[in-house]
Amino acid sequence: MTVETPTRFSPLAEWQDRLAGLPSGLRVRELPFLTQLGLRAQPGSAAAKAVEACLGITLPDPVRAELSGDVKALWMGPDEWLLVAPDGRRQELLARLRDAIGDDGSASVTDVSAQRTTLALSGPLLREVLAQGCAVDLDPRVTPVGSCPTTLLAQAPVTLVVRDEAAPAVWLLVRASFASYLATWLLDACTEYRGGTG
């Protein structure tokens, strides 16, 4: 008996050439198929501590991200985090985390990998381009590495994760249904920089 593996298509698979053609001052690439797990637990509870022990991290405080480990933890709400890991980790992490939480009915872990895609943006034009459509001040004195605001970029809801100040570099986590719209906006927002060195 042959079992067919479903073909996966990333939301921005057809955009890679266009995104690669952006000005040299802004690099944009999709990080497709990242493992994304939604964690609900009361901060400081036994379940939250069990998750922290399981992953070897501390669940971050409001509007912050824990980026040091292989599994990144992004604060999404008062009792909610998004756990982000490389592709292929979904089943293993779900099993480990559910085992760690055990019978604690006040906590849950849910696979939400198909909800969003992730864009990695970097380069000297990053802050200038994003400022055209985002109200978050990306000056590192205001929004340092590890900041994780959920905001709007060109009216599209995104979670913005500041990963580096010097580069600068961010992740944009965007719902799959908004991905093409956001890619179109990024291309348009870079129009004035084309032909320059950035």
Side-chain angles (χ1 to χ4, degrees), residues 10-155:
S10 71
L12 295 176
E14 298 178 1
W15 286 83
Q16 296 312 302
D17 289 342
R18 283 175 276 183
L19 293 174
L22 288 171
S24 61
L26 182 66
R27 291 171 298 285
V28 178
R29 64 187 177 94
E30 184 185 20
L31 306 176
F33 313 125
L34 293 179
T35 296
Q36 298 183 45
L37 306 178
L39 168 67
R40 300 296 297 265
Q42 286 299 316
S45 66
K49 290 177 181 177
V51 167
E52 291 176 329
C54 177
L55 298 178
I57 63 171
T58 300
L59 293 172
D61 292 329
V63 199
R64 299 291 300 164
E66 172 54 60
L67 304 174
S68 61
D70 189 41
V71 178
K72 317 301 183 198
L74 318 180
W75 183 89
M76 303 297 283
D79 65 348
E80 182 180 4
W81 294 268
L82 182 67
L83 306 175
V84 182
D87 185 21
R89 300 282 308 277
R90 182 173 56 93
Q91 293 296 345
E92 169 248 330
L93 281 173
L94 276 172
R96 283 176 52 205
L97 291 168
R98 287 176 176 163
D99 185 56
I101 291 171
D103 296 330
D104 189 334
S106 67
S108 65
V109 181
T110 308
D111 179 22
V112 294
S113 302
Q115 284 186 353
R116 302 175 186 87
T117 193
T118 303
L119 289 171
L121 285 74
S122 62
L125 286 177
L126 172 67
R127 294 185 189 114
E128 196 171 340
V129 170
L130 293 188
Q132 295 179 47
C134 182
V136 174
D137 184 349
L138 292 177
D139 185 301
R141 294 169 294 184
V142 178
T143 314
V145 169
S147 296
C148 180
T150 295
T151 185
L152 294 177
L153 176 59
Q155 301 306 310

